[in-house]
């Protein structure tokens, strides 16, 4: 500015970016970004809303014991991660993975398939798997049977992406 105070001026494409506006809104708690949800988002890529009642070690509130175990593992091995962070894949396609983990090789998406066998859930699961393939995103899938030895399982799955753990 003229008085010497530094500032940044962003192009309007950045200022009006839907993902940025939602992230700022979530962080600040203001209604900066209006909730816009298309029918495709509601049915194919976003799980029906269920109360987040389980608190993890890093303060996230998750929906299930399996998600809590995954979140606690990521926190314990110091992997930066986000829980249920909306990912915009293209102009009209969004998805909400269970976890986005930042690894030395880039983002790895982790899905816990805890309700397999239910027709609606299985259909959403297949839709999400198809999106991961279509957009060439790295997916690590966790099933309920993996929870018994989760530390070793996730350590093995994340090792190819530069994650080193003691397990």
């Amino acid at each position: 500015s003229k008085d010497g105070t530094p500032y940044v001026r962003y192009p309007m494409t950045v200022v009006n970016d839907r993902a940025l506006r939602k992230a700022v809104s979530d962080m600040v708690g203001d209604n900066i970004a209006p909730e816009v949800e298309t029918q495709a988002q509601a049915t194919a890529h976003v799980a029906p809303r269920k109360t987040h009642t389980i608190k993890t070690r890093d303060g996230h509130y998750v929906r299930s014991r399996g998600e809590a175990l995954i979140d606690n593992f990521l926190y314990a091995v110091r992997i930066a991660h986000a829980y249920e962070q909306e990912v915009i894949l293209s102009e009209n396609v969004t998805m909400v993975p269970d976890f986005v983990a930042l690894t030395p090789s880039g983002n790895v998406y982790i899905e816990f398939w805890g309700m397999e066998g239910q027709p609606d859930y299985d259909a959403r699961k297949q839709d999400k798997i198809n999106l991961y393939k279509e957009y060439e995103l790295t997916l690590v899938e966790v099933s309920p049977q993996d929870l018994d030895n989760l530390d070793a399982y996730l350590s093995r799955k994340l090792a190819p992406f530069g994650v080193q753990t003691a397990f």
Side-chain angles (χ1 to χ4, degrees), residues 3 24 39 41 55 61-62 67 76 84 86-87 92 95 105 116-117 126 132 137 139 144 159-161 165:
D3 68 0
V24 170
Q39 185 62 28
Q41 290 171 322
K55 186 175 181 179
Y61 282 89
V62 297
E67 290 177 341
E84 290 192 342
E86 181 179 59
V87 176
N92 296 321
M95 169 173 70
S105 298
E116 291 174 304
Q126 192 55 54
Y132 284 113
L137 302 173
L139 172 63
F161 308 105
T165 69

Side-chain angles (χ1 to χ4, degrees), residues 84-102:
E84 290 192 342
Q85 180 67 48
E86 181 179 59
V87 176
I88 298 174
L89 302 172
S90 68
E91 188 173 327
N92 296 321
V93 181
T94 63
M95 169 173 70
V96 180
D98 290 336
F99 296 93
V100 180
L102 180 60

Side-chain angles (χ1 to χ4, degrees), residues 108-164:
V108 172
Y109 300 86
I110 302 172
E111 291 286 353
F112 174 59
W113 307 122
M115 297 170 43
E116 291 174 304
Q118 299 179 13
D120 290 346
Y121 183 84
D122 289 343
R124 279 194 317 276
K125 173 185 172 182
Q126 192 55 54
D127 288 342
K128 278 181 124 176
I129 290 172
N130 292 339
L131 284 175
Y132 284 113
K133 288 178 183 173
E134 179 181 346
Y135 288 91
E136 299 178 354
L137 302 173
T138 304
L139 172 63
V140 171
E141 299 180 73
V142 180
S143 297
Q145 59 268 26
D146 300 320
L147 297 179
D148 290 336
N149 200 12
L150 185 66
D151 294 344
Y153 176 80
L154 283 177
S155 294
R156 187 173 61 253
K157 291 292 189 177
L158 295 173
F161 308 105
V163 175
Q164 298 178 350

Side-chain angles (χ1 to χ4, degrees), residues 4-21:
T5 306
Y7 71 96
V8 176
R9 185 172 189 161
Y10 294 101
M12 290 307 290
T13 55
V14 172
V15 173
N16 288 324
D17 183 77
R18 190 172 74 160
L20 176 64
R21 294 178 65 79

Side-chain angles (χ1 to χ4, degrees), residues 1-55:
S1 69
K2 291 180 182 179
D3 68 0
T5 306
Y7 71 96
V8 176
R9 185 172 189 161
Y10 294 101
M12 290 307 290
T13 55
V14 172
V15 173
N16 288 324
D17 183 77
R18 190 172 74 160
L20 176 64
R21 294 178 65 79
K22 177 156 181 14
V24 170
S25 176
D26 290 348
M27 183 175 62
V28 189
D30 295 335
N31 192 10
I32 294 171
E35 289 294 323
V36 177
E37 188 171 306
T38 66
Q39 185 62 28
Q41 290 171 322
T43 59
H45 316 301
V46 179
R49 291 293 159 211
K50 175 176 126 181
T51 307
H52 296 76
T53 57
I54 302 169
K55 186 175 181 179

